[in-house]
């Protein structure tokens, strides 16, 4: 951690905040009864006017940390946000609870912008969202100085650092804020930040002895699975079959793939649409809105989709190809289960993706204007990220533990009850050690001069042109694993690489080489566990069963249908009306009076006034 003053006294997780004003505002406006770990400390830093860097995983509840303080002391605060869609969604959600907030961005008409400026000047707004460009280039700062803004929140603050995975040059201008508003406090928020990025954020924003508030990266309500990819379409259909009628995001790498897959799903009667950056803006917006209003269930997308999507009830995030980093994976899977209810994240893994990404990295670096040395550094950095991702996919260990540790946090509760490995869905290969010995001795016999593909061909006894040219059909290891197919043998070699029991040289044509540990395996002094490389069965994660405990499913579905109608009539995303956690709460408690309804999480005074009567009718079974 870098420069900090006395840290806020730690509060036990989930404890009610000791400042009664915070609790009052929280329950009156949001209908929540407690703050999450770290939210209280982040809010206290804001109220104290102490700079802070708040790192919480997606879904951790960052927005509340900057939304709540202005209500407590009646200020107008500013939130810098990178994407228009993101701002719009938040403003919609805030308006649904009667919160005076507005966004100012380039997609608005000059009249609309003037309207927002008027409300700002009149002191009506508690929060103003703005993009970095708009903030520094339009004289807006002068107006903010006039109304005496005392607090800035920088959302997605990692965009300011070129060490991060999503650098945006326009964020650099945020360093101006300190100079222009020396007496205001600045609060940076991000979901992904290694210590290097964290420190860079603090330095770039000229933060003064910021409180570093680092949350827990683990998302216990997400169940992670990695499944060897054998048939993209059949597997996608089978997995979506577990989530009929629920919100799902399916990620593909190429635009063409998203269109093909979406068409296939639609042909199967699934309400699915493609989404990628090549589509017309209107088309993209229509898909986003249809998803937000629950008129479609599935979006098949490239990673271009999601930054602006806050739909909190996404129950499945399925990657049909390998993401290029664990940072990206954490961010994309972070869109699942933001309401805290159980959700599933499945990755269809094939080592072929690793090779595609590698050559793509090299190609795009070669085509850039960087000089050769910089190109090399760029490629090396990207490959490091890629290989961490691959290790995750191929490791035979708890996914929650692997993710937490990657982000620098120990994970204490293995087995976790929410990943394929801990649920026992993966199977160990019988005779793993013996198989590993065969694989490694083939690397030894071929002299450590060949790659995964070639060694694989020798092991399964393929008389390929290359095998014959090197006379490898004469080796004693030729055909040792003839019962397996090429894909399986390559997968096993990758598992050895991932466990550090075998090495691969860097560069254009990587070859397999033995290391110290390889020899221990071959000498029989080290045991090996390899995973059976095929799709297993799935079991229900514990969180999923718990979240449905006592819920009247019929009532829940009727509430959802009602919510969809309300959302349509208002032209707002369905989750801004009420999220799934609140709907399940109602369908579990079956409140009979307004007071009982207020006790359901997510029901505050505004929602009670707006929807209380309709909801109580439905619970009583008297809906229209
Ligand atoms: P982030 O911006 O960190 O990704 P959000 O701010 O969107 O996360 O919050 C994620 C979800 O958690 C939202 O549905 C929000 O309503 C809910 N949430 C946030 N804080 C609380 C709380 N203290 N109690 C209950 N739910 C909360
Ligand atoms: Zn686990």
């Amino acid at each position: 951690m870098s420069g900090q003053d006395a840290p806020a006294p730690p509060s036990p997780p989930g404890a009610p905040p000791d400042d009664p004003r915070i609790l009052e505002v929280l329950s009156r406006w949001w209908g929540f009864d407690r703050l999450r770990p770290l939210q209280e400390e982040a809010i206290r830093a804001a109220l104290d006017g102490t700079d802070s860097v708040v790192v919480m995983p997606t879904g951790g509840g960052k927005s509340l940390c900057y939304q709540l303080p202005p209500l407590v002391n009646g200020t107008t605060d500013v939130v810098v946000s990178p994407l228009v869609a993101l701002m719009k969604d938040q403003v919609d959600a805030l308006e649904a609870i009667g919160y005076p907030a507005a966004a100012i961005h380039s997609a608005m008409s000059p009249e609309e912008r003037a309207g927002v400026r008027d409300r700002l000047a009149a002191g009506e707004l508690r929060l103003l969202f703005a993009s970095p460009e708009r903030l520094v280039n339009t004289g807006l700062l002068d107006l903010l100085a006039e109304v005496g803004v005392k607090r800035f929140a920088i959302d997605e603050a990692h965009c300011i650092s070129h060490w991060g995975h999503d650098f945006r040059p326009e964020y650099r201008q945020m360093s101006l804020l300190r100079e222009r508003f020396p007496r205001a406090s600045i609060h940076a928020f991000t979901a992904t930040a290694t210590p290097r990025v964290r420190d860079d954020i603090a330095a770039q924003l000229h933060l003064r002895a910021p409180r570093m508030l680092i949350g827990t990266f683990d998302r216990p309500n997400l169940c992670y699975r990695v499944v060897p990819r054998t048939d993209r379409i059949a597997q996608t259909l089978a997995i979506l079959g577990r989530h009929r009628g629920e919100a799902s995001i399916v990620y593909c790498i190429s635009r063409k793939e998203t269109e093909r897959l979406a068409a296939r799903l639609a042909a199967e009667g699934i309400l699915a649409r493609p989404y990628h950056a090549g589509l017309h803006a209107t088309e993209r917006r229509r898909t986003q809105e249809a998803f937000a209003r629950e008129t479609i269930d599935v979006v098949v997308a490239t990673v271009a989709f999601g930054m602006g999507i806050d739909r909190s009830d996404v129950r499945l995030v399925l990657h049909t190809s390998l993401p290029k980093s664990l940072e990206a994976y954490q961010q994309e899977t972070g869109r699942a289960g933001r309401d805290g209810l159980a959700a599933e994240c499945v990755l269809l893994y094939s080592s072929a993706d690793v090779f595609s990404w590698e050559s793509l990295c090299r190609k795009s670096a070669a085509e850039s204007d960087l000089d050769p040395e910089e190109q090399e550094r760029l490629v090396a950095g990207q490959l490091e990220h890629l290989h961490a991702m691959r290790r995750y996919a191929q490791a035979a260990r708890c996914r929650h533990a692997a993710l937490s540790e990657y982000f620098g946090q120990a994970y204490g509760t293995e087995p976790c009850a929410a990943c394929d490995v801990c649920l026992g869905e993966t199977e160990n290969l019988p005779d793993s050690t013996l198989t590993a010995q065969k694989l490694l001795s083939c690397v030894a016999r071929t002299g450590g001069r060949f790659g995964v593909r070639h060694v694989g061909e020798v092991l399964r006894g393929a008389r390929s042109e290359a095998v014959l040219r090197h006379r490898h059909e004469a080796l004693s290891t030729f055909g040792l694993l003839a019962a397996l197919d090429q894909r399986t043998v390559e997968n096993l070699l990758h598992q050895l690489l991932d466990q550090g029991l075998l090495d691969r040289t860097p560069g254009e044509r990587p070859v397999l080489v033995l290391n110290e540990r390889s020899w221990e395996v071959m000498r029989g002094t080290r045991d090996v566990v390899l995973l059976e490389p095929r799709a297993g069965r799935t079991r229900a994660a514990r969180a999923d069963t718990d979240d449905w405990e006592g819920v009247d499913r019929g009532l829940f579905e009727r509430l959802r249908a009602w919510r969809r109608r309300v959302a349509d009539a208002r032209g707002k995303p369905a989750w801004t009306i009420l999220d799934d956690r609140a709907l399940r709460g109602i369908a579990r408690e079956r409140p009979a009076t307004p007071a009982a309804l207020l006790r359901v999480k997510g029901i505050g005074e505004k929602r009670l006034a707006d929807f209380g009567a309709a909801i109580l009718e439905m619970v009583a079974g008297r809906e229209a």
Side-chain angles (χ1 to χ4, degrees), residues 389-409:
M389 184 68 231
R390 194 205 57 210
R391 274 196 297 282
Y392 166 83
Q394 294 200 322
R397 68 169 304 208
C398 175
R399 314 281 176 203
H400 283 271
L403 281 170
S404 290
E405 281 165 23
Y406 180 78
F407 290 104
Q409 296 182 337

Side-chain angles (χ1 to χ4, degrees), residues 32 34-36 39 57-64 312 338 579:
F32 296 152
R34 60 191 53 200
L35 289 170
R36 292 191 180 151
Q39 281 181 328
T58 311
K62 284 181 287 298
S63 14
L64 195 72
S312 66
R338 292 175 70 139
D579 71 6

Side-chain angles (χ1 to χ4, degrees), residues 362 449-451 504-512:
R362 294 214 165 81
R449 290 183 295 119
F450 296 89
R504 193 156 71 149
T505 57
E508 268 299 314
R509 298 196 61 251
V511 301
L512 298 174

Side-chain angles (χ1 to χ4, degrees), residues 398-401 411 414-419 421-422:
C398 175
R399 314 281 176 203
H400 283 271
Y411 181 78
E414 264 175 279
C416 73
C419 83
V421 177
C422 295

Side-chain angles (χ1 to χ4, degrees), residues 2 38 63 160 228 231 328 338 352 360 383 386 434 589:
S2 70
L38 227 71
S63 14
I160 205 170
D231 179 335
R338 292 175 70 139
L360 209 68
L383 293 188
L386 176 64
L434 185 64
E589 312 294 334

Side-chain angles (χ1 to χ4, degrees), residues 30 113 126 144 164 178 260 355 397 443 490 516 531 553-554 566:
W30 280 273
R113 283 201 292 266
R126 294 288 76 84
L144 297 181
R178 174 88 316 147
R260 222 174 16 217
F355 296 113
R397 68 169 304 208
V443 176
E490 289 187 14
E516 194 69 26
L531 287 183
R553 291 236 190 181
V566 176

